Amino acid sequence: MLMHKLDENLPGAFNPDAAFMAKFGTFMQEVTQAGVLLAAEGLRPSTVDAARITVTGGKATVTDGPFTETKELIAGFALVEVRDKEEALEWAKRFADIFAQTIGEVEVDVRRVTEMSDIMPPA
């Protein structure tokens, strides 16, 4: 999974311009044609219908956005099925470059999805 984080306080971070959308559209076509894209979505900023649930001592607390104490939030993701970490990193670098060209700074995490077979012993 490729997850990109953005600073909500950066102007335009959650409102991409036409140039960004064109570059991102091309990337999405390439990753789709390569047959590795499983899903991809953007997330709205925490100012729009967001909530955070924190459980402490068995008690749940709901905090509505915006999350002012958090500088960077996960802003979107692409779920890809690739051969190995190296291939994931190749796609992630391209993914990050599109954001960096438009916004200037971006952080992209590459994480492996845990599947049931990873945590359950074989039957």
Side-chain angles (χ1 to χ4, degrees), residues 2 27 87-97 108-110:
L2 316 177
F27 173 80
E87 184 180 0
L89 290 172
E90 288 174 26
W91 286 111
K93 287 175 188 174
R94 293 182 58 203
F95 185 71
D97 190 50
V108 174
D109 287 354
V110 176

Side-chain angles (χ1 to χ4, degrees), residues 7-30:
D7 183 340
E8 284 190 307
N9 299 312
L10 289 175
F14 284 81
N15 295 306
D17 62 16
F20 172 87
M21 292 307 293
K23 289 176 188 176
F24 197 71
T26 299
F27 173 80
M28 294 307 289
Q29 285 177 337
E30 291 175 18

Side-chain angles (χ1 to χ4, degrees), residues 116-117 119-123:
M116 198 58 113
S117 61
I119 56 175
M120 296 292 291

Side-chain angles (χ1 to χ4, degrees), residues 21-110:
M21 292 307 293
K23 289 176 188 176
F24 197 71
T26 299
F27 173 80
M28 294 307 289
Q29 285 177 337
E30 291 175 18
V31 73
T32 299
Q33 288 174 346
V36 298
L37 182 66
L38 299 178
E41 300 294 337
L43 303 174
R44 302 294 298 151
S46 73
T47 56
V48 181
D49 297 328
R52 179 175 288 153
I53 299 170
T54 306
V55 179
T56 305
K59 182 179 182 211
T61 303
V62 177
T63 305
D64 289 326
F67 306 135
T68 55
E69 70 280 2
T70 304
K71 181 181 176 195
E72 292 183 331
L73 296 172
I74 295 173
F77 69 90
L79 184 60
V80 295
E81 186 171 30
V82 294
R83 293 180 307 271
D84 52 31
K85 183 178 177 182
E86 288 71 30
E87 184 180 0
L89 290 172
E90 288 174 26
W91 286 111
K93 287 175 188 174
R94 293 182 58 203
F95 185 71
D97 190 50
I98 296 166
F99 289 92
Q101 288 175 19
T102 305
I103 297 167
E105 290 186 19
V106 69
E107 185 174 287
V108 174
D109 287 354
V110 176

